[in-house]
Amino acid sequence: MSSQYTSQEALKEVDALAAKQQSIYVYEAPVRLWHWVNALAMTVLAVTGYFIAEPLPSTAGEASENYLMGWMRYIHFSAGYVLAIGFLGRIYWAFVGNKHARQIFVLPVWDKDWWKEIVFEAKWYLFLERDPKKYVGHNPLAHLAMFGVFVTGTILMILTGFALYAEGAGQDSLHYALFGWVIVLFGDSMQVHTWHHIGMWVLIIFVMIHVYAAIREDIMSRQTMISTIVNGLRSYKDDRP
Ligand code: HEM
Ligand code: HEM
């Protein structure tokens, strides 16, 4: 007698379900690789940046044997280069990759339905809607956050970060020739430090909401999320019966 618990029976059921399952290739390998390199670089930058702003009051041993803050700054600047070069690569991929590679850089502000769906998504996130909409790329609210917070925030961090680096490198450095104007634009060095610091907290809040939303949507919206940014494929689950 067969039961639903034998592998033969289970296979039949799984095959029937798998036949119905549709997947779409959304995030190409360079986008996925960049996502995780960027996430790591930002984490390292936030930790070392925090300590550059709030240095440890003391370290053990002879002062001449310590280079703790020197290492913090060295790792910060190296991760800063990884972030900046990665971001340039990501912009390049927006030109040569698929249409989803362009999404975070362009907002369809002229599209009325897009704005309506932002309101819908906000209500869905606030548990005020019962039936989630399905998307191939980012949903309109995520799209707005990716552009308005992540892309603009990252550009701010790169410009202000390299301007601060230029200050240390000196006025006759290449860094200063390329980024000295940022200090003039912000007024003075203190302003650049302050905006670089505020930018960190804005990005930290973005990441906290982003990770919460990714996990929540993976569970609740009946379409894959976390596996999509790992293997590139978005799969859709059946609607609730
Ligand atoms: C510093 C940390 C992180 C940053 C700055 C970040 C930023 C981003 C950005 C900018 C995108 C858009 C990718 C694109 O379209 O090019 C994205 C997508 C995504 N991220 Fe992250 N991410 C971070 C960490 C994480 C973590 C830890 C997770 C896992 C829980 C995650 C899950 C996702 C998912 C699922 C997507 C795709 C969303 C979708 O399918 O619409 N991220 N992330
Ligand atoms: C997500 C990206 C980044 C975060 C979260 C971050 C965070 C921080 C923070 C919190 C500070 C201390 C600011 C203050 O209160 O004075 C700092 C300083 C600094 N950051 Fe960044 N940063 C980022 C990107 C970069 C980049 C791309 C560079 C370019 C190389 C950079 C270079 C610097 C420099 C030169 C300083 C000043 C170091 C000093 O005064 O000793 N940062 N960063």
mmCIF file of all heavy atoms in Angstrom, residues 34-75:
data_model
loop_
_atom_site.group_PDB
_atom_site.id
_atom_site.type_symbol
_atom_site.label_atom_id
_atom_site.label_comp_id
_atom_site.label_asym_id
_atom_site.label_seq_id
_atom_site.Cartn_x
_atom_site.Cartn_y
_atom_site.Cartn_z
ATOM 1 N N TRP A 34 28.735 41.757 -7.294
ATOM 2 C CA TRP A 34 28.896 43.129 -6.799
ATOM 3 C C TRP A 34 28.074 43.322 -5.520
ATOM 4 O O TRP A 34 28.552 43.936 -4.567
ATOM 5 C CB TRP A 34 28.447 44.144 -7.876
ATOM 6 C CG TRP A 34 28.244 45.499 -7.291
ATOM 7 C CD1 TRP A 34 29.209 46.416 -6.998
ATOM 8 C CD2 TRP A 34 27.006 46.077 -6.861
ATOM 9 N NE1 TRP A 34 28.635 47.531 -6.421
ATOM 10 C CE2 TRP A 34 27.293 47.347 -6.329
ATOM 11 C CE3 TRP A 34 25.666 45.648 -6.887
ATOM 12 C CZ2 TRP A 34 26.298 48.187 -5.820
ATOM 13 C CZ3 TRP A 34 24.680 46.478 -6.379
ATOM 14 C CH2 TRP A 34 25.006 47.729 -5.847
ATOM 15 N N HIS A 35 26.824 42.793 -5.480
ATOM 16 C CA HIS A 35 25.984 42.977 -4.297
ATOM 17 C C HIS A 35 26.701 42.549 -3.027
ATOM 18 O O HIS A 35 26.732 43.246 -2.032
ATOM 19 C CB HIS A 35 24.668 42.199 -4.449
ATOM 20 C CG HIS A 35 23.805 42.243 -3.223
ATOM 21 N ND1 HIS A 35 23.854 41.279 -2.244
ATOM 22 C CD2 HIS A 35 22.912 43.166 -2.794
ATOM 23 C CE1 HIS A 35 23.007 41.606 -1.274
ATOM 24 N NE2 HIS A 35 22.427 42.740 -1.575
ATOM 25 N N TRP A 36 27.324 41.361 -3.096
ATOM 26 C CA TRP A 36 27.927 40.827 -1.872
ATOM 27 C C TRP A 36 29.276 41.473 -1.562
ATOM 28 O O TRP A 36 29.613 41.670 -0.388
ATOM 29 C CB TRP A 36 28.005 39.295 -1.946
ATOM 30 C CG TRP A 36 26.621 38.712 -1.961
ATOM 31 C CD1 TRP A 36 25.984 38.116 -3.013
ATOM 32 C CD2 TRP A 36 25.650 38.754 -0.901
ATOM 33 N NE1 TRP A 36 24.693 37.776 -2.671
ATOM 34 C CE2 TRP A 36 24.464 38.147 -1.382
ATOM 35 C CE3 TRP A 36 25.656 39.248 0.406
ATOM 36 C CZ2 TRP A 36 23.304 38.021 -0.605
ATOM 37 C CZ3 TRP A 36 24.503 39.117 1.185
ATOM 38 C CH2 TRP A 36 23.358 38.517 0.684
ATOM 39 N N VAL A 37 30.043 41.822 -2.591
ATOM 40 C CA VAL A 37 31.311 42.537 -2.344
ATOM 41 C C VAL A 37 30.991 43.910 -1.741
ATOM 42 O O VAL A 37 31.622 44.359 -0.773
ATOM 43 C CB VAL A 37 32.118 42.685 -3.664
ATOM 44 C CG1 VAL A 37 33.305 43.620 -3.477
ATOM 45 C CG2 VAL A 37 32.594 41.320 -4.144
ATOM 46 N N ASN A 38 29.986 44.568 -2.310
ATOM 47 C CA ASN A 38 29.580 45.884 -1.820
ATOM 48 C C ASN A 38 29.076 45.810 -0.370
ATOM 49 O O ASN A 38 29.414 46.657 0.460
ATOM 50 C CB ASN A 38 28.474 46.429 -2.741
ATOM 51 C CG ASN A 38 27.983 47.790 -2.299
ATOM 52 O OD1 ASN A 38 28.666 48.781 -2.501
ATOM 53 N ND2 ASN A 38 26.822 47.842 -1.672
ATOM 54 N N ALA A 39 28.285 44.768 -0.075
ATOM 55 C CA ALA A 39 27.757 44.618 1.286
ATOM 56 C C ALA A 39 28.923 44.441 2.279
ATOM 57 O O ALA A 39 28.933 45.054 3.350
ATOM 58 C CB ALA A 39 26.803 43.422 1.355
ATOM 59 N N LEU A 40 29.913 43.641 1.882
ATOM 60 C CA LEU A 40 31.067 43.416 2.759
ATOM 61 C C LEU A 40 31.872 44.709 2.939
ATOM 62 O O LEU A 40 32.237 45.083 4.064
ATOM 63 C CB LEU A 40 31.946 42.306 2.151
ATOM 64 C CG LEU A 40 33.098 41.849 3.015
ATOM 65 C CD1 LEU A 40 32.569 41.090 4.233
ATOM 66 C CD2 LEU A 40 34.054 40.937 2.231
ATOM 67 N N ALA A 41 32.119 45.412 1.818
ATOM 68 C CA ALA A 41 32.891 46.664 1.890
ATOM 69 C C ALA A 41 32.186 47.670 2.800
ATOM 70 O O ALA A 41 32.821 48.308 3.648
ATOM 71 C CB ALA A 41 33.083 47.247 0.490
ATOM 72 N N MET A 42 30.860 47.781 2.652
ATOM 73 C CA MET A 42 30.119 48.749 3.474
ATOM 74 C C MET A 42 30.168 48.374 4.958
ATOM 75 O O MET A 42 30.246 49.248 5.818
ATOM 76 C CB MET A 42 28.668 48.850 3.013
ATOM 77 C CG MET A 42 28.517 49.751 1.817
ATOM 78 S SD MET A 42 26.840 50.350 1.652
ATOM 79 C CE MET A 42 27.075 51.524 0.311
ATOM 80 N N THR A 43 30.113 47.075 5.233
ATOM 81 C CA THR A 43 30.169 46.640 6.637
ATOM 82 C C THR A 43 31.526 47.019 7.234
ATOM 83 O O THR A 43 31.600 47.589 8.337
ATOM 84 C CB THR A 43 29.940 45.106 6.726
ATOM 85 O OG1 THR A 43 28.720 44.805 6.033
ATOM 86 C CG2 THR A 43 29.862 44.626 8.153
ATOM 87 N N VAL A 44 32.604 46.724 6.502
ATOM 88 C CA VAL A 44 33.958 47.063 6.976
ATOM 89 C C VAL A 44 34.090 48.581 7.135
ATOM 90 O O VAL A 44 34.635 49.080 8.132
ATOM 91 C CB VAL A 44 35.014 46.508 5.976
ATOM 92 C CG1 VAL A 44 36.391 47.041 6.288
ATOM 93 C CG2 VAL A 44 35.004 44.983 5.989
ATOM 94 N N LEU A 45 33.556 49.342 6.165
ATOM 95 C CA LEU A 45 33.642 50.806 6.225
ATOM 96 C C LEU A 45 32.879 51.371 7.420
ATOM 97 O O LEU A 45 33.332 52.319 8.063
ATOM 98 C CB LEU A 45 33.104 51.414 4.927
ATOM 99 C CG LEU A 45 34.079 51.357 3.747
ATOM 100 C CD1 LEU A 45 33.351 51.464 2.420
ATOM 101 C CD2 LEU A 45 35.131 52.441 3.868
ATOM 102 N N ALA A 46 31.712 50.782 7.710
ATOM 103 C CA ALA A 46 30.912 51.303 8.826
ATOM 104 C C ALA A 46 31.609 51.027 10.163
ATOM 105 O O ALA A 46 31.648 51.891 11.046
ATOM 106 C CB ALA A 46 29.506 50.697 8.801
ATOM 107 N N VAL A 47 32.192 49.827 10.306
ATOM 108 C CA VAL A 47 32.861 49.488 11.580
ATOM 109 C C VAL A 47 34.105 50.360 11.761
ATOM 110 O O VAL A 47 34.290 51.017 12.790
ATOM 111 C CB VAL A 47 33.226 47.977 11.624
ATOM 112 C CG1 VAL A 47 34.083 47.664 12.839
ATOM 113 C CG2 VAL A 47 31.964 47.118 11.619
ATOM 114 N N THR A 48 34.967 50.413 10.738
ATOM 115 C CA THR A 48 36.207 51.199 10.871
ATOM 116 C C THR A 48 35.885 52.696 10.934
ATOM 117 O O THR A 48 36.516 53.437 11.702
ATOM 118 C CB THR A 48 37.184 50.894 9.718
ATOM 119 O OG1 THR A 48 36.480 51.021 8.472
ATOM 120 C CG2 THR A 48 37.757 49.505 9.812
ATOM 121 N N GLY A 49 34.880 53.124 10.150
ATOM 122 C CA GLY A 49 34.487 54.541 10.169
ATOM 123 C C GLY A 49 33.981 54.961 11.535
ATOM 124 O O GLY A 49 34.295 56.050 12.034
ATOM 125 N N TYR A 50 33.213 54.072 12.177
ATOM 126 C CA TYR A 50 32.701 54.369 13.522
ATOM 127 C C TYR A 50 33.866 54.641 14.476
ATOM 128 O O TYR A 50 33.852 55.583 15.256
ATOM 129 C CB TYR A 50 31.843 53.195 14.022
ATOM 130 C CG TYR A 50 31.333 53.401 15.420
ATOM 131 C CD1 TYR A 50 30.142 54.082 15.635
ATOM 132 C CD2 TYR A 50 32.049 52.952 16.525
ATOM 133 C CE1 TYR A 50 29.676 54.317 16.923
ATOM 134 C CE2 TYR A 50 31.601 53.174 17.810
ATOM 135 C CZ TYR A 50 30.407 53.851 18.006
ATOM 136 O OH TYR A 50 29.962 54.088 19.284
ATOM 137 N N PHE A 51 34.899 53.795 14.365
ATOM 138 C CA PHE A 51 36.047 53.965 15.279
ATOM 139 C C PHE A 51 36.948 55.138 14.893
ATOM 140 O O PHE A 51 37.633 55.685 15.748
ATOM 141 C CB PHE A 51 36.844 52.658 15.397
ATOM 142 C CG PHE A 51 36.147 51.655 16.275
ATOM 143 C CD1 PHE A 51 35.620 50.488 15.751
ATOM 144 C CD2 PHE A 51 35.984 51.907 17.629
ATOM 145 C CE1 PHE A 51 34.954 49.577 16.558
ATOM 146 C CE2 PHE A 51 35.319 50.999 18.446
ATOM 147 C CZ PHE A 51 34.795 49.835 17.915
ATOM 148 N N ILE A 52 36.929 55.530 13.597
ATOM 149 C CA ILE A 52 37.682 56.736 13.213
ATOM 150 C C ILE A 52 37.013 57.949 13.888
ATOM 151 O O ILE A 52 37.681 58.850 14.384
ATOM 152 C CB ILE A 52 37.711 56.904 11.667
ATOM 153 C CG1 ILE A 52 38.591 55.820 11.034
ATOM 154 C CG2 ILE A 52 38.225 58.295 11.283
ATOM 155 C CD1 ILE A 52 38.512 55.747 9.502
ATOM 156 N N ALA A 53 35.672 57.906 13.946
ATOM 157 C CA ALA A 53 34.939 59.016 14.572
ATOM 158 C C ALA A 53 35.003 58.955 16.099
ATOM 159 O O ALA A 53 35.006 59.986 16.769
ATOM 160 C CB ALA A 53 33.494 58.997 14.105
ATOM 161 N N GLU A 54 35.012 57.744 16.662
ATOM 162 C CA GLU A 54 35.029 57.552 18.130
ATOM 163 C C GLU A 54 36.201 56.641 18.485
ATOM 164 O O GLU A 54 35.990 55.485 18.846
ATOM 165 C CB GLU A 54 33.738 56.848 18.608
ATOM 166 C CG GLU A 54 32.441 57.422 18.129
ATOM 167 C CD GLU A 54 31.940 58.519 19.044
ATOM 168 O OE1 GLU A 54 32.366 58.544 20.224
ATOM 169 O OE2 GLU A 54 31.150 59.337 18.573
ATOM 170 N N PRO A 55 37.427 57.157 18.412
ATOM 171 C CA PRO A 55 38.584 56.262 18.642
ATOM 172 C C PRO A 55 38.568 55.680 20.047
ATOM 173 O O PRO A 55 38.047 56.305 20.978
ATOM 174 C CB PRO A 55 39.784 57.197 18.456
ATOM 175 C CG PRO A 55 39.265 58.404 17.779
ATOM 176 C CD PRO A 55 37.832 58.523 18.163
ATOM 177 N N LEU A 56 39.135 54.490 20.193
ATOM 178 C CA LEU A 56 39.208 53.863 21.511
ATOM 179 C C LEU A 56 40.063 54.758 22.413
ATOM 180 O O LEU A 56 41.095 55.276 21.976
ATOM 181 C CB LEU A 56 39.847 52.478 21.381
ATOM 182 C CG LEU A 56 39.031 51.491 20.545
ATOM 183 C CD1 LEU A 56 39.868 50.268 20.177
ATOM 184 C CD2 LEU A 56 37.788 51.072 21.293
ATOM 185 N N PRO A 57 39.640 54.961 23.666
ATOM 186 C CA PRO A 57 40.360 55.897 24.533
ATOM 187 C C PRO A 57 41.795 55.465 24.833
ATOM 188 O O PRO A 57 42.675 56.297 25.007
ATOM 189 C CB PRO A 57 39.514 55.948 25.798
ATOM 190 C CG PRO A 57 38.593 54.790 25.724
ATOM 191 C CD PRO A 57 38.452 54.412 24.299
ATOM 192 N N SER A 58 42.064 54.169 24.900
ATOM 193 C CA SER A 58 43.443 53.747 25.182
ATOM 194 C C SER A 58 43.700 52.366 24.609
ATOM 195 O O SER A 58 42.780 51.589 24.392
ATOM 196 C CB SER A 58 43.689 53.716 26.692
ATOM 197 O OG SER A 58 42.843 52.747 27.266
ATOM 198 N N THR A 59 44.982 52.075 24.345
ATOM 199 C CA THR A 59 45.353 50.725 23.915
ATOM 200 C C THR A 59 46.504 50.272 24.818
ATOM 201 O O THR A 59 47.252 51.102 25.327
ATOM 202 C CB THR A 59 45.828 50.715 22.441
ATOM 203 O OG1 THR A 59 46.738 51.785 22.262
ATOM 204 C CG2 THR A 59 44.682 50.877 21.476
ATOM 205 N N ALA A 60 46.626 48.966 24.987
ATOM 206 C CA ALA A 60 47.626 48.442 25.921
ATOM 207 C C ALA A 60 49.042 48.565 25.351
ATOM 208 O O ALA A 60 49.227 48.612 24.140
ATOM 209 C CB ALA A 60 47.309 46.971 26.201
ATOM 210 N N GLY A 61 50.033 48.623 26.217
ATOM 211 C CA GLY A 61 51.442 48.579 25.801
ATOM 212 C C GLY A 61 52.016 49.931 25.431
ATOM 213 O O GLY A 61 51.375 50.967 25.586
ATOM 214 N N GLU A 62 53.267 49.861 24.927
ATOM 215 C CA GLU A 62 53.974 51.081 24.528
ATOM 216 C C GLU A 62 53.286 51.743 23.336
ATOM 217 O O GLU A 62 52.897 51.047 22.394
ATOM 218 C CB GLU A 62 55.409 50.719 24.111
ATOM 219 C CG GLU A 62 56.363 50.492 25.264
ATOM 220 C CD GLU A 62 56.588 51.759 26.089
ATOM 221 O OE1 GLU A 62 56.692 52.844 25.487
ATOM 222 O OE2 GLU A 62 56.646 51.642 27.328
ATOM 223 N N ALA A 63 53.232 53.054 23.348
ATOM 224 C CA ALA A 63 52.588 53.766 22.243
ATOM 225 C C ALA A 63 53.266 53.430 20.913
ATOM 226 O O ALA A 63 52.604 53.234 19.893
ATOM 227 C CB ALA A 63 52.628 55.263 22.491
ATOM 228 N N SER A 64 54.607 53.307 20.955
ATOM 229 C CA SER A 64 55.335 53.069 19.699
ATOM 230 C C SER A 64 55.065 51.676 19.121
ATOM 231 O O SER A 64 55.362 51.413 17.960
ATOM 232 C CB SER A 64 56.835 53.249 19.938
ATOM 233 O OG SER A 64 57.241 52.320 20.927
ATOM 234 N N GLU A 65 54.521 50.778 19.977
ATOM 235 C CA GLU A 65 54.228 49.421 19.483
ATOM 236 C C GLU A 65 52.801 49.300 18.963
ATOM 237 O O GLU A 65 52.364 48.229 18.560
ATOM 238 C CB GLU A 65 54.450 48.402 20.604
ATOM 239 C CG GLU A 65 55.915 48.119 20.816
ATOM 240 C CD GLU A 65 56.179 47.438 22.136
ATOM 241 O OE1 GLU A 65 55.222 46.940 22.753
ATOM 242 O OE2 GLU A 65 57.354 47.418 22.541
ATOM 243 N N ASN A 66 52.068 50.398 19.056
ATOM 244 C CA ASN A 66 50.667 50.344 18.651
ATOM 245 C C ASN A 66 50.410 51.070 17.354
ATOM 246 O O ASN A 66 50.894 52.171 17.156
ATOM 247 C CB ASN A 66 49.798 50.989 19.732
ATOM 248 C CG ASN A 66 49.336 49.957 20.720
ATOM 249 O OD1 ASN A 66 48.690 48.996 20.325
ATOM 250 N ND2 ASN A 66 49.704 50.123 21.976
ATOM 251 N N TYR A 67 49.635 50.415 16.530
ATOM 252 C CA TYR A 67 49.278 51.077 15.279
ATOM 253 C C TYR A 67 47.782 50.826 15.014
ATOM 254 O O TYR A 67 47.345 50.757 13.874
ATOM 255 C CB TYR A 67 50.146 50.533 14.136
ATOM 256 C CG TYR A 67 50.096 51.373 12.886
ATOM 257 C CD1 TYR A 67 50.460 52.727 12.901
ATOM 258 C CD2 TYR A 67 49.675 50.823 11.675
ATOM 259 C CE1 TYR A 67 50.393 53.499 11.750
ATOM 260 C CE2 TYR A 67 49.622 51.583 10.520
ATOM 261 C CZ TYR A 67 49.984 52.917 10.563
ATOM 262 O OH TYR A 67 49.923 53.681 9.420
ATOM 263 N N LEU A 68 47.027 50.644 16.130
ATOM 264 C CA LEU A 68 45.626 50.236 15.983
ATOM 265 C C LEU A 68 44.828 51.187 15.092
ATOM 266 O O LEU A 68 44.190 50.760 14.125
ATOM 267 C CB LEU A 68 44.968 50.135 17.368
ATOM 268 C CG LEU A 68 43.535 49.622 17.336
ATOM 269 C CD1 LEU A 68 43.466 48.189 16.866
ATOM 270 C CD2 LEU A 68 42.883 49.743 18.706
ATOM 271 N N MET A 69 44.874 52.490 15.397
ATOM 272 C CA MET A 69 44.080 53.426 14.591
ATOM 273 C C MET A 69 44.649 53.565 13.182
ATOM 274 O O MET A 69 43.912 53.836 12.234
ATOM 275 C CB MET A 69 43.985 54.804 15.282
ATOM 276 C CG MET A 69 43.096 54.814 16.520
ATOM 277 S SD MET A 69 41.516 53.944 16.308
ATOM 278 C CE MET A 69 40.739 54.876 14.999
ATOM 279 N N GLY A 70 45.965 53.360 13.076
ATOM 280 C CA GLY A 70 46.572 53.376 11.744
ATOM 281 C C GLY A 70 45.989 52.255 10.885
ATOM 282 O O GLY A 70 45.619 52.465 9.729
ATOM 283 N N TRP A 71 45.864 51.061 11.515
ATOM 284 C CA TRP A 71 45.258 49.932 10.784
ATOM 285 C C TRP A 71 43.800 50.201 10.456
ATOM 286 O O TRP A 71 43.331 49.879 9.369
ATOM 287 C CB TRP A 71 45.371 48.635 11.600
ATOM 288 C CG TRP A 71 46.743 48.025 11.501
ATOM 289 C CD1 TRP A 71 47.659 47.898 12.502
ATOM 290 C CD2 TRP A 71 47.351 47.490 10.318
ATOM 291 N NE1 TRP A 71 48.807 47.322 12.031
ATOM 292 C CE2 TRP A 71 48.653 47.049 10.688
ATOM 293 C CE3 TRP A 71 46.944 47.333 9.006
ATOM 294 C CZ2 TRP A 71 49.533 46.478 9.781
ATOM 295 C CZ3 TRP A 71 47.823 46.763 8.094
ATOM 296 C CH2 TRP A 71 49.100 46.335 8.484
ATOM 297 N N MET A 72 43.083 50.800 11.399
ATOM 298 C CA MET A 72 41.658 51.126 11.155
ATOM 299 C C MET A 72 41.539 51.999 9.912
ATOM 300 O O MET A 72 40.697 51.762 9.052
ATOM 301 C CB MET A 72 41.085 51.943 12.325
ATOM 302 C CG MET A 72 40.917 51.169 13.578
ATOM 303 S SD MET A 72 39.304 50.410 13.616
ATOM 304 C CE MET A 72 39.337 49.809 15.288
ATOM 305 N N ARG A 73 42.400 53.031 9.846
ATOM 306 C CA ARG A 73 42.322 53.953 8.711
ATOM 307 C C ARG A 73 42.759 53.242 7.428
ATOM 308 O O ARG A 73 42.132 53.410 6.382
ATOM 309 C CB ARG A 73 43.180 55.190 8.977
ATOM 310 C CG ARG A 73 42.636 56.023 10.138
ATOM 311 C CD ARG A 73 43.518 57.224 10.436
ATOM 312 N NE ARG A 73 43.342 58.309 9.488
ATOM 313 C CZ ARG A 73 44.326 58.899 8.811
ATOM 314 N NH1 ARG A 73 45.565 58.489 8.982
ATOM 315 N NH2 ARG A 73 44.087 59.892 7.989
ATOM 316 N N TYR A 74 43.819 52.430 7.531
ATOM 317 C CA TYR A 74 44.317 51.720 6.345
ATOM 318 C C TYR A 74 43.212 50.804 5.776
ATOM 319 O O TYR A 74 42.949 50.790 4.568
ATOM 320 C CB TYR A 74 45.560 50.902 6.728
ATOM 321 C CG TYR A 74 46.084 50.052 5.606
ATOM 322 C CD1 TYR A 74 46.753 50.636 4.529
ATOM 323 C CD2 TYR A 74 45.904 48.674 5.608
ATOM 324 C CE1 TYR A 74 47.215 49.860 3.479
ATOM 325 C CE2 TYR A 74 46.374 47.898 4.560
ATOM 326 C CZ TYR A 74 47.030 48.494 3.501
ATOM 327 O OH TYR A 74 47.482 47.730 2.457
ATOM 328 N N ILE A 75 42.546 50.056 6.688
ATOM 329 C CA ILE A 75 41.487 49.140 6.230
ATOM 330 C C ILE A 75 40.306 49.956 5.678
ATOM 331 O O ILE A 75 39.700 49.607 4.668
ATOM 332 C CB ILE A 75 41.045 48.206 7.386
ATOM 333 C CG1 ILE A 75 42.209 47.290 7.764
ATOM 334 C CG2 ILE A 75 39.821 47.372 7.001
ATOM 335 C CD1 ILE A 75 42.007 46.501 9.048
#
